[in-house]
Amino acid sequence: MSKGSKAAGGGYVKSYGCQMNVYDSSRIAGLLDRQGHAAVDTPAEAEVIVLNTCHIREKAADKVFSELGQIRQIKHERAEAGRPLLIGVAGCVAQAEGAEILRREASVDFVLGPQSYHRLPEALEKARRGERPLFIDFETDEKFRDLRRSDGGLDRGKVSAFVTIQEGCDKFCSFCVVPYTRGAEISRATPDVVTEAERLAGAGVKDITLLGQNVNGYRWEGRDGVWTLARLFERLSAIEGLERLRYTTSHPLDMSDDLIAAHRDLPKVMPYLHLPVQSGSDRILRAMNRRHTARDYVALIETLRAARADIALSSDFIVGFPGETDEDFRATMRLVEEVGFASAFSFKYSTRPGTPGAELGDQIHETVKKERLAELQGLLDAQAAAFNANCVGRSLDVLFEKPGRHDGQIVGRSPYLQSVQVNGPNDLIGSTRRCTIERPGSHSLFGAIEQGQGGEARN
Ligand code: 5AD
Ligand code: SF4
């Protein structure tokens, strides 16, 4: 929108970590744009650089400091050339270590925690005056209010989009920093979510993923009663043009009956669920403060499958939590065998300062963590490959999102979130076609559009 008014240089946002950060990064880019800093592709072209950081594991947090080292170099070169460069650190590392960052890195001009992005214009102004502001208060209400003002210009032409509807976490898993960096659980007002979804649908978006650290714990009290995620899905299902609804990420304890029923009753709710279990050992689950057993999880999956037989499951796993024995790890492998996942993320336990897990003795040796991770990933990869191989010969509805790598190819997603490539014209982007899956690739499927579907997009 900034055309012409202010002669400011470009804005560059680098995103680390989860989907939530990807979404926040697009909002930060939007705010920068409104300040006259239109998005540029590289740090070298930018006048403002914002690193939107992740604190979930040690490696992710370390990356920020190494990146700042490189940016410092650009800043020195700029200073010599008399061209200004402002550097901001946003996200969860900003929240957890903001003061430390300002102390350690003289090149950082401002720090913004995840609840303070609406204060970016103010931060830029202060930074220009050399004040080095640190905005890390919990103000989620304000942030959600600000999101309502976004103009949506950035969403044009996109087929799928994210919408944050919930922030923070009250679960306090003993390994996790999120309750400390993102604060208590809070849900965005339903009417605001509906308005944003309608605006996205109006701009051509067909597939919306609702985001939150505990998105299935969504709960908003309106004058017309309590809005759960299931009720919200019912409302969003009525929006014309929207074809697919997804959500991530969820906690097993919040997988309520009405949400399970939504998977059965609402055709727009896609048959895909990311439901982290972390471990298959009850002893470790207890130590992790997950508040459910491995059996509870498996039983929940059975209920979900009874509601929607073809639901594809995804999960997160941690290996090498303090005190994890070989037997505990075997229990995780058994759970994976029993459930069968379409995709998954698995991590070595990483000690996070300030979490209860960091205080535990019996830390697991790095070599053991590595071995367990490799074994678990071997099994999960095999399950993902089997899931894809099972789709060969089936007819799946594919929503096309973008041109493929080669001319004449287009790429879309199956209901199960698999990437599907077919030969087809670019003007099918944004519409859904039934496709026969012909063969699996390493990370995607190859298929062919079935004939005789007319010119109209399917729902
Ligand atoms: N160490 C390793 N993995 C972690 N996760 C969260 N905290 C840690 C940690 N300290 C993983 C969990 C979570 C995912 C987002 O990141 O599996 O579900
Ligand atoms: Fe972290 Fe557990 Fe909350 Fe997920 S549910 S954000 S793992 S504390």
Side-chain angles (χ1 to χ4, degrees):
M1 70 134 256
S2 59
K3 282 181 200 87
S5 54
K6 291 176 204 154
Y12 180 80
V13 185
K14 181 154 183 179
S15 199
Y16 302 82
C18 65
Q19 305 286 34
M20 202 96 159
N21 263 13
V22 174
Y23 176 84
D24 282 348
S25 292
S26 74
R27 297 293 153 197
I28 294 172
L31 284 165
L32 282 175
D33 185 72
R34 262 170 275 159
Q35 295 298 304
H37 303 289
V40 290
D41 294 332
T42 63
E45 299 165 70
E47 190 184 306
V48 181
I49 297 176
V50 179
L51 303 182
N52 193 16
T53 63
C54 171
H55 202 241
I56 196 98
R57 287 170 293 276
E58 194 175 1
K59 249 198 201 148
D62 285 349
K63 263 194 212 153
V64 181
F65 286 99
S66 72
E67 184 83 22
L68 281 173
Q70 290 167 23
I71 291 177
R72 196 190 312 141
Q73 200 49 40
I74 305 179
K75 190 155 176 165
H76 283 319
E77 289 162 18
R78 288 289 188 84
E80 277 165 19
R83 283 172 59 212
L85 174 63
L86 290 180
I87 297 173
V89 177
C92 292
V93 180
Q95 186 67 40
E97 298 179 30
E100 170 77 5
I101 291 170
L102 288 174
R103 222 179 358 258
R104 258 173 74 175
E105 274 296 339
S107 60
V108 173
D109 299 289
F110 61 95
V111 170
L112 280 179
Q115 274 76 25
S116 306
Y117 297 148
H118 56 284
R119 298 183 71 184
L120 182 68
E122 191 187 341
L124 286 174
E125 209 181 293
K126 282 186 189 275
R128 282 196 196 95
R129 294 201 299 264
E131 280 180 34
R132 308 186 80 212
L134 171 70
F135 293 152
I136 53 170
D137 294 336
F138 284 119
E139 309 169 88
T140 314
D141 272 355
E142 255 312 308
K143 176 184 162 172
F144 280 155
R145 214 167 299 142
D146 189 73
L147 289 178
R148 197 164 43 186
R149 288 199 290 269
S150 61
D151 58 19
L154 291 171
D155 301 310
R156 291 240 161 244
K158 280 205 310 187
V159 176
S160 54
F162 295 118
V163 174
T164 295
I165 64 162
Q166 182 276 335
E167 274 256 345
C169 181
D170 299 335
K171 300 287 186 294
F172 290 91
C173 299
S174 62
F175 51 82
C176 185
V177 288
V178 167
Y180 311 98
T181 53
R182 296 267 175 171
E185 285 179 22
I186 177 168
S187 295
R188 192 172 172 193
T190 302
D192 292 352
V193 176
V194 173
T195 306
E196 183 167 357
E198 283 171 345
R199 180 179 63 74
L200 289 166
V205 167
K206 302 280 164 45
D207 180 332
I208 286 185
T209 302
L210 302 179
L211 295 180
Q213 262 98 26
N214 260 301
V215 74
N216 61 338
Y218 179 84
R219 193 187 159 83
W220 188 75
E221 281 184 39
R223 251 173 278 149
D224 52 353
V226 172
W227 286 81
T228 60
L229 183 60
R231 190 170 172 209
L232 180 61
F233 276 143
E234 220 177 294
R235 174 66 189 83
L236 297 180
S237 288
I239 297 177
E240 213 177 309
L242 272 189
E243 290 176 21
R244 294 178 168 194
L245 299 168
R246 304 178 183 278
Y247 59 110
T248 198
T249 181
S250 295
H251 193 290
L253 288 187
D254 288 325
M255 212 58 227
S256 53
D257 291 346
D258 64 342
L259 185 54
I260 297 172
H263 276 285
R264 182 192 59 211
D265 301 334
L266 301 175
K268 291 187 184 181
V269 174
M270 287 292 103
Y272 179 92
L273 175 63
H274 182 71
L275 193 63
V277 62
Q278 316 294 357
S279 168
S281 152
D282 289 343
R283 217 173 57 80
I284 295 299
L285 286 169
R286 208 173 312 119
M288 287 177 162
N289 192 32
R290 292 288 292 179
R291 295 185 285 148
H292 63 79
T293 63
R295 248 320 91 220
D296 294 336
Y297 184 86
V298 173
L300 179 57
I301 298 301
E302 281 165 5
T303 312
L304 274 155
R305 283 185 167 146
R308 177 82 205 222
D310 66 335
I311 195 163
L313 295 159
S314 161
S315 194
D316 291 341
F317 296 90
I318 296 177
V319 298
F321 186 80
E324 186 187 70
T325 61
D326 270 336
E327 186 39 46
D328 293 320
F329 176 63
R330 289 296 130 216
T332 300
M333 294 292 282
R334 278 198 301 276
L335 180 137
V336 174
E337 294 276 11
E338 195 171 348
V339 172
F341 291 94
S343 70
F345 299 95
S346 41
F347 312 99
K348 289 182 285 182
Y349 171 72
S350 160
T351 309
R352 307 311 293 130
T355 62
E359 310 293 313
L360 297 173
D362 205 4
Q363 296 283 333
I364 305 303
H365 200 277
E366 187 60 22
T367 341
V368 175
K369 286 188 198 170
K370 252 190 204 151
E371 280 168 16
R372 289 181 185 164
L373 186 68
E375 191 178 343
L376 175 60
Q377 285 182 340
L379 177 58
L380 290 167
D381 285 350
Q383 290 193 341
F387 182 80
N388 284 344
N390 254 324
C391 292
V392 173
R394 285 181 61 188
S395 273
L396 299 181
D397 280 341
V398 178
L399 168 59
F400 294 106
E401 293 188 335
K402 56 184 185 198
R405 211 177 305 153
H406 304 293
D407 262 3
Q409 269 186 347
I410 48 176
V411 189
R413 293 211 177 262
S414 75
Y416 312 111
L417 210 58
Q418 296 145 300
S419 166
V420 183
Q421 305 201 32
V422 305
N423 289 324
N426 281 350
D427 61 11
L428 282 186
I429 290 169
S431 49
T432 301
R433 287 289 183 281
R434 187 152 276 248
C435 297
T436 306
I437 304 305
E438 293 174 332
R439 64 188 168 88
S442 51
H443 293 288
S444 58
L445 299 173
F446 292 90
I449 298 172
E450 292 173 16
Q451 295 309 309
Q453 297 183 54
E456 285 305 300
R458 294 170 53 88
N459 273 324

